[in-house]
Amino acid sequence: MPTQDPDLSAGDAPPKPAPVKPLRLLLVDDQRAFQVMMKAMLQNIGINRINFANSAEEARRRCLKESFDIYLFDYDLGGGENGRQLLESLRDKGLIPPQSVVIMVSSDSSRAMVLSALEVEPDEYLMKPFSQEQFKFRLRRALARRQALESVFRALAEDKPEQLIRACAERADAIPRFANFCRCLQADTQLRLGQAREARSLMRQLLAGQENGWARLTLGKACHTLGLNEEAVSHLQATLKHNPLMVEAYLWLAEAQLALGEEESAQRELKRAVEISPQSVLLSRRLAEICLQRHDYAQARDVLLTLIDLSRNSIHRTPHYLGAYIQCLTLYALNSNDGYHIANLQKQVNSALSRIRDSLMVSEFNYPVFEQICQARVQVALGQLIKGKKMLYRANQHWLDQPANMPVALLGETVLALYQLGEFEYAESLQDHLAEDEDRLLTICIQATRNDKTVQERRQRYQQLNELGIKAYQGGEFEQALTHFREALRRAPANTGAALNKIQVLLKLIEKHRKSPDFPNECKETLAMLDGIPLNPAQQERFRKLRQEFTQSQ
């Protein structure tokens, strides 16, 4: 005979359901009128625990102290950080609980704004003005989805991919209306774990039943990951045919085309994606990288300038955008043979520095040194090689003897500056300290510089002349060696190694032709070129010995 419920005694009434916890909401909007209107609307639908923030910074302070069930963000928060950037920042810091609902609202109905808001995947997106019934329906739908898929969103928020795969599979079977969402998320997670074959099989099964844009996109990603790039292109083009605003498909289509060697097509697809969604940092960044690889400095320059603006108030801000922008300006000017672009460089760099200064100054990043390196690069581009070299070496004097301790951003900018200077050997030695998994834009920018036609021709000719000079010196042909080192320095006027080689051979010629004043004067001038520059330890020691030898010869 079944036992009686232990919480009930004979004759007791059924237990009352546990009271529903009142929902707590954070509304972030800088317009008082909208706050008042939303407060009345929210109270009408039973939400009374309402908190307000007038700016992203105020919202962040609140979220550091407490959490909410519902986050309602206006996209446009006036100057500074917008709603999208705030949402990215809060998620990055883990300040939005996985069971909470995020709703984004905006009065801007433009395609760019809508796609920008949807790219960060809020639970709902509403255009102003909206009715109470609209808001109530969307909120209930979002809350129901979060509740039904709580295990999925929790594993996603906690970045537990294996747990996420299991949760997706279980929820897909349990709740058919969310099956497509769960299966696609499951496949995406399998791709992250290197299970591309499993992801491809899962998406093919899903598509056998019905067409689904996200599933077709994920299938294309899986095919690309497996190296089946022609099949990937087919799936991704089919995705875009039916979903031309699915901008992520353009990104993966470009990746598949790059793998097939179709660089021009890849650049074209990404440019189209950026035109559709101009607020996307991810798309613009990838376009800039491909432009750099293809040595399309004009378009890379324009995209990077946009990136500087897009990222300055977001978690995506990085000095690499400015560094790559300066390099594009320089390489474009060098290859155009147009003095106007070089002459205008200082103005353009100063403008870019002012745009990004505030956002980088508040971080732990050493902005003053970064700015010094940028200005040194400008001086080099303007032809003021020695001035630029001195600025560069002085900016880095604390790390010259320990380059491995140099902050990555400063190290990358220094490598680029050294290539500009013609300090090719030094640049390569410092580049060895950059990790392979370092910022891809930085490594692509350095690679593009190394492979640039103008830089390569200059470098190859310099190396040939320097090697000829060394060979002549070793053979005792000092006059011939001097000719080669002079020409090497003409190709790379600020190269320390060639200057030291020239001094060394001049000392031999001074000894050989003691009555000639020409060699001592030239040696003195070359020594003066290096004087006052905080060289790296090996170069500094060699310079010290050569200068001492010159002094003793006089």
Side-chain angles (χ1 to χ4, degrees):
M1 188 172 178
T3 58
Q4 196 173 31
D5 190 313
D7 293 328
L8 295 175
S9 59
D12 282 343
K16 294 181 180 180
V20 177
K21 178 185 175 183
L23 295 173
R24 302 182 71 249
L25 181 143
L26 175 64
L27 170 59
V28 187
D29 192 286
D30 65 332
Q31 298 295 320
R32 177 62 180 165
F34 182 73
Q35 291 182 1
V36 172
M37 184 273 291
M38 280 306 304
K39 181 178 181 180
M41 185 182 293
L42 291 165
Q43 288 176 335
N44 287 340
I45 62 176
I47 299 175
N48 296 298
R49 300 184 67 184
I50 306 167
N51 297 268
F52 298 97
N54 297 312
S55 67
E57 188 54 43
E58 185 181 349
R60 189 175 293 103
R61 287 196 298 268
R62 278 190 169 276
C63 292
L64 285 168
K65 296 177 181 177
E66 55 187 326
S67 60
F68 304 89
D69 303 295
I70 306 165
Y71 295 81
L72 179 58
F73 299 146
D74 193 341
Y75 190 103
D76 185 5
L77 298 177
E81 204 171 346
N82 61 37
R84 172 201 168 119
Q85 293 165 337
L86 171 62
L87 177 54
E88 287 180 317
S89 173
L90 294 177
R91 281 180 174 162
D92 183 62
K93 293 178 170 60
L95 295 177
I96 295 184
Q99 69 274 15
S100 298
V101 164
V102 176
I103 298 177
M104 189 81 72
V105 299
S106 174
S107 57
D108 187 344
S109 61
S110 67
R111 183 179 66 187
M113 179 64 73
V114 173
L115 289 175
S116 178
L118 294 178
E119 189 180 28
V120 289
E121 299 180 356
D123 293 281
E124 292 288 347
Y125 176 74
L126 282 165
M127 292 299 307
K128 296 180 182 179
F130 47 82
S131 69
Q132 181 175 301
E133 285 305 311
Q134 279 180 296
F135 182 80
K136 183 178 179 181
F137 171 76
R138 297 286 194 92
L139 176 59
R140 282 183 172 178
R141 183 171 69 177
L143 287 168
R145 180 170 173 268
R146 282 278 165 180
Q147 184 177 7
L149 302 179
E150 182 179 358
S151 60
V152 171
F153 288 116
R154 186 172 298 279
L156 188 62
E158 294 174 357
D159 194 22
K160 297 179 178 178
E162 293 179 352
Q163 185 176 318
L164 178 57
I165 288 174
R166 291 193 296 271
C168 285
E170 187 274 328
R171 291 285 84 189
D173 291 336
I175 312 176
R177 73 178 184 274
F178 294 132
N180 287 350
F181 170 81
C182 289
R183 294 299 185 199
C184 290
L185 182 56
Q186 179 182 344
D188 258 336
T189 310
Q190 288 172 326
L191 287 174
R192 285 176 55 199
L193 292 179
Q195 301 170 7
R197 293 188 184 280
E198 292 84 344
R200 179 171 178 253
S201 176
L202 184 61
M203 291 298 93
R204 292 177 74 175
Q205 291 174 30
L206 193 156
L207 288 164
Q210 62 179 5
E211 183 59 38
N212 179 282
W214 190 9
R216 184 70 64 185
L217 165 62
T218 308
L219 178 56
K221 290 160 64 174
C223 290
H224 168 63
T225 304
L226 290 167
L228 305 172
N229 289 295
E230 291 182 355
E231 184 180 341
V233 167
S234 175
H235 289 304
L236 293 163
Q237 288 177 337
T239 302
L240 290 168
K241 181 178 179 181
H242 297 97
N243 304 277
L245 297 184
M246 188 176 277
V247 290
E248 188 183 358
Y250 289 99
L251 175 62
W252 284 94
L253 175 57
E255 298 297 346
Q257 289 170 330
L258 281 174
L260 292 169
E262 300 171 2
E263 294 184 349
E264 186 177 352
S265 296
Q267 182 175 337
R268 183 171 59 249
E269 294 298 343
L270 271 174
K271 184 178 179 182
R272 189 175 302 157
V274 170
E275 288 170 351
I276 293 171
S277 184
Q279 301 294 316
S280 173
V281 171
L282 175 64
L283 292 173
S284 292
R285 181 189 172 103
R286 191 67 185 111
L287 176 58
E289 291 168 354
I290 292 175
C291 289
L292 277 166
Q293 287 176 313
R294 300 193 67 235
H295 304 289
D296 185 349
Y297 304 125
Q299 186 168 353
R301 172 199 63 194
D302 296 341
V303 175
L304 286 163
L305 186 59
T306 300
L307 270 171
I308 290 171
D309 285 331
L310 284 178
S311 64
R312 60 181 172 176
N313 294 313
S314 78
I315 61 171
H316 304 290
R317 64 178 176 267
T318 170
H320 297 318
Y321 296 148
L322 179 57
Y325 172 68
I326 294 173
Q327 196 67 2
C328 285
L329 289 173
T330 304
L331 292 172
Y332 179 73
L334 288 173
N335 284 275
S336 68
N337 295 315
D338 187 339
Y340 167 79
H341 298 296
I342 289 291
N344 201 37
L345 184 61
Q346 183 77 69
K347 179 180 178 181
Q348 291 174 301
V349 171
N350 287 345
S351 174
L353 282 167
S354 68
R355 295 185 192 202
I356 203 171
R357 181 178 289 113
D358 291 342
S359 62
L360 290 180
M361 286 287 280
V362 298
S363 67
E364 296 179 359
F365 177 68
N366 193 332
Y367 180 83
V369 172
F370 174 79
E371 186 169 15
Q372 288 178 50
I373 296 173
C374 290
Q375 294 293 2
R377 290 171 64 190
V378 171
Q379 293 305 312
V380 173
L382 292 173
Q384 302 295 322
L385 301 182
I386 303 305
K387 180 180 179 181
K389 183 175 181 177
K390 288 183 177 181
M391 289 175 66
L392 175 67
Y393 279 57
R394 285 170 184 166
N396 285 299
Q397 58 186 326
H398 299 301
W399 296 288
L400 286 172
D401 56 343
Q402 293 181 314
N405 296 333
M406 189 183 297
V408 170
L410 301 183
L411 179 58
E413 298 310 308
T414 299
V415 169
L416 290 170
L418 289 170
Y419 275 118
Q420 278 182 243
L421 274 168
E423 290 275 30
F424 305 113
E425 302 92 344
Y426 193 15
E428 289 184 343
S429 69
L430 290 185
Q431 193 174 338
D432 291 339
H433 295 287
L434 287 171
E436 290 184 4
D437 61 347
E438 211 47 76
D439 187 289
R440 184 166 66 171
L441 176 63
L442 173 61
T443 55
I444 287 176
C445 192
I446 292 173
Q447 193 64 36
T449 302
R450 290 186 63 181
N451 295 338
D452 179 77
K453 181 181 178 181
T454 303
V455 174
Q456 272 196 335
E457 289 176 352
R458 179 181 167 211
R459 178 183 181 180
Q460 289 171 358
R461 187 57 182 147
Y462 153 77
Q463 288 178 331
Q464 290 171 354
L465 290 163
N466 198 46
E467 288 170 5
L468 286 171
I470 292 172
K471 186 176 180 179
Y473 176 84
Q474 292 172 340
E477 300 174 357
F478 302 129
E479 287 85 354
Q480 188 63 40
L482 179 60
T483 300
H484 291 314
F485 289 137
R486 283 171 176 166
E487 187 61 21
L489 276 172
R490 193 178 72 81
R491 302 282 179 168
N495 187 281
T496 301
L500 292 171
N501 289 342
K502 180 184 173 186
I503 293 169
Q504 190 165 333
V505 76
L506 282 167
L507 287 170
K508 290 291 185 182
L509 290 169
I510 289 171
E511 184 180 350
K512 184 178 179 181
H513 304 280
R514 291 190 175 277
K515 294 183 179 181
S516 173
D518 295 336
F519 296 128
N521 289 337
E522 187 173 356
C523 190
K524 187 175 181 179
E525 289 174 1
T526 311
L527 284 165
M529 186 179 80
L530 298 177
D531 196 33
I533 297 176
L535 306 172
N536 68 55
Q539 292 175 332
Q540 189 64 49
E541 179 60 19
R542 188 181 175 199
F543 175 64
R544 185 190 65 78
K545 290 180 178 179
L546 291 173
R547 183 169 56 183
Q548 184 179 35
E549 187 177 342
F550 173 74
T551 302
Q552 292 172 350
S553 71
Q554 298 306 295

